[in-house]
Amino acid sequence: MSVAASLSRSPLGSAIVFREVVKTYDTPKGPFQALGGVTFSVEQGEMFGLLGPNGAGKTTLISILAGLSRATSGQVSVLGHDVVSDYAQARRALGVVPQELVFDPFFSLREALRIQSGYFGIRHNGDWIDELLHSLGLADKANANMRQLSGGMKRRVMVAQALVHKPRVIVLDEPTAGVDVELRQTLWQFIARLNREGSTVLLTTHYLEEAEALCGRIAMIKRGQVLALEKTSVLLSRASSNVLRFKTDGTLPPALADIARITGRVVQLPTHNALEVEQMLAAVREAGCVVDDIEIRKADLEDVFLEVMADVPASALSGGSEGPAGQSVGVDSFTAGPPQGETAPSGGSAGPAGQSVGATEPAPGRPKLANAPSGGSEGSKSQSVGASP
């Protein structure tokens, strides 16, 4: 389905609309285009995944959506409210969980949530705050100072702050980066419940198994342009192969090494039929490699993601040109507006540094859905939910 068709399908039912969004930064080396005419919509009640490598522009999009940055050209709306001309209503409808851990060190957890409620003019919000604390496993920490909480606990608080005003649209920017198994499970159970009750969820993550399990539709972007936009099941059906997986300490023959994905001892090779499997294993044996734990699995979202990213040459993404809509590459052409004088973030990735939607993205990986690395870093100055209306 083309991006234009997805917008015309149900314009009144769209929770989020990005239309021809361009973002250009001024740099010492000249203009840097972080977004090149991005166009797609997220329907109400949908759980939507936004995937891309580091520097793809995911956090820049979220910064524009949350009002932390302004697009050079194009239009963004939340439930029909333009994020520039009708910013108060757009921000009231939106709850954003940023990448970075940002918190006020002078208040207890409960006090912080009450203050966050006040930013949206909400009084007597104690019952919902209690429910958030219970649902996110924070009830026993309600009166603890934020400085006393672990990184995983602070992440839970950021989720609670994003939800304290009961937004109809929830944006999760790498919400499980650097968190433990318990939070991962608790968070997704709670978010899935809110989604079933009608909340719209936009998720960015490098943990592709999360996106595969949770999201009904997925957009893949690279260098500020949409390369694929489809239902998750359709993307998975487009996988061109199965995968032969085994472990070895040996060195693969060059012909296989060129197409293999190697992580430590684990080797994964795309294969289309039994004959190819036999030929690959024969070549590995002839090279003197001893293999174990051999298995053949269906291609998953990570395999599809790597195919999509690899199939589009860099030259096709430079200068803002795009492929035909409706294929694995699909957005209309655009005309970039003048840069707005902002300084590009280091590394050319997300939004301007120092804002509450983090600009640093964790390295890609694909842990199991129930597993996540622990740890995390802290921010300091900005609010955890977009910007106050």
Side-chain angles (χ1 to χ4, degrees):
M1 179 184 296
S2 72
V3 178
S6 73
L7 282 177
S8 61
R9 176 182 57 190
S10 180
L12 296 178
S14 296
I16 301 172
V17 175
F18 296 100
R19 192 183 299 275
E20 295 295 333
V21 179
V22 175
K23 179 61 178 177
T24 304
Y25 295 99
D26 284 335
T27 75
K29 296 182 180 180
F32 169 77
Q33 189 175 76
L35 297 174
V38 172
T39 299
F40 67 88
S41 65
V42 181
E43 302 307 309
Q44 291 191 42
E46 187 174 23
M47 189 174 288
F48 186 95
L50 180 62
L51 307 180
N54 292 333
K58 303 184 298 297
T59 301
T60 300
L61 270 178
I62 291 175
S63 296
I64 293 171
L65 180 66
L68 300 174
S69 181
R70 183 167 292 189
T72 305
S73 64
Q75 183 180 20
V76 182
S77 63
V78 180
L79 294 174
H81 304 291
D82 187 275
V83 299
V84 176
S85 61
D86 194 10
Y87 62 88
Q89 292 301 318
R91 296 178 195 181
R92 185 177 295 275
L94 193 65
V96 180
V97 181
Q99 286 183 27
E100 294 178 344
L101 290 174
V102 290
F103 64 94
D104 194 320
F106 300 105
F107 299 103
S108 69
L109 194 161
R110 186 182 295 277
E111 289 170 338
L113 293 180
R114 286 175 177 167
I115 292 170
Q116 190 75 21
S117 299
Y119 292 151
F120 294 90
I122 300 174
R123 298 183 179 183
H124 311 299
N125 202 24
D127 290 344
W128 176 238
I129 288 175
D130 288 339
E131 184 173 349
L132 286 173
L133 294 174
H134 176 75
S135 299
L136 294 171
L138 292 167
D140 60 337
K141 302 291 185 181
N143 296 316
N145 188 284
M146 295 285 288
R147 289 176 294 185
Q148 299 171 335
L149 302 181
S150 66
M153 288 290 181
K154 290 188 179 81
R155 181 72 65 183
R156 300 184 197 202
V157 175
M158 293 175 62
V159 175
Q161 286 182 305
L163 300 178
V164 76
H165 62 293
K166 297 183 179 180
R168 294 170 59 188
V169 180
I170 303 167
V171 178
L172 306 172
D173 192 5
E174 303 290 344
T176 54
V179 301
D180 57 29
V181 174
E182 181 183 4
L183 172 58
R184 185 182 294 268
Q185 294 175 338
T186 301
L187 174 62
W188 290 131
Q189 289 171 2
F190 187 48
I191 294 299
R193 178 194 130 191
L194 295 177
N195 180 242
R196 289 193 300 269
E197 293 173 354
S199 296
T200 303
V201 180
L202 172 61
L203 167 69
T204 76
T205 181
H206 286 294
Y207 301 151
L208 301 190
E209 284 192 358
E210 287 184 346
E212 182 176 341
L214 296 166
C215 300
R217 280 198 309 147
I218 287 174
M220 297 183 181
I221 69 172
K222 181 178 182 181
R223 298 185 184 179
Q225 295 181 28
V226 177
L227 304 186
L229 173 58
E230 276 291 1
K231 291 183 178 179
T232 306
S233 57
V234 173
L235 286 172
L236 291 171
S237 70
R238 289 180 178 176
S240 62
S241 65
N242 291 322
V243 177
L244 170 64
R245 182 185 184 277
F246 58 84
K247 296 179 181 178
T248 183
D249 291 316
T251 301
L252 295 178
L256 294 183
D258 289 342
I259 61 173
R261 192 192 325 161
I262 303 174
T263 307
R265 297 184 63 236
V266 177
V267 177
Q268 299 184 76
L269 292 161
T271 179
H272 298 84
N273 52 52
L275 178 59
E276 281 192 359
V277 172
E278 293 176 0
Q279 292 172 340
M280 288 176 177
L281 291 177
V284 169
R285 285 194 296 270
E286 290 176 5
C289 298
V290 177
V291 302
D292 53 25
D293 293 341
I294 300 174
E295 65 179 48
I296 299 174
R297 63 170 178 81
K298 289 185 176 294
D300 58 19
L301 189 60
E302 181 172 335
D303 301 304
V304 176
F305 177 82
L306 293 174
E307 280 190 17
V308 171
M309 295 297 121
D311 284 348
V312 181
S315 59
L317 296 175
S318 62
S321 61
E322 299 171 354
Q327 308 297 325
S328 61
V329 179
V331 204
D332 300 332
S333 61
F334 67 93
T335 302
Q340 296 204 352
E342 294 189 58
T343 303
S346 59
S349 56
Q355 295 178 335
S356 67
V357 176
T360 304
E361 299 181 357
R366 189 172 62 88
K368 297 295 182 184
L369 184 59
N371 298 330
S374 60
S377 59
E378 300 177 4
S380 58
K381 295 184 179 180
S382 53
Q383 298 295 336
S384 66
V385 182
S388 306

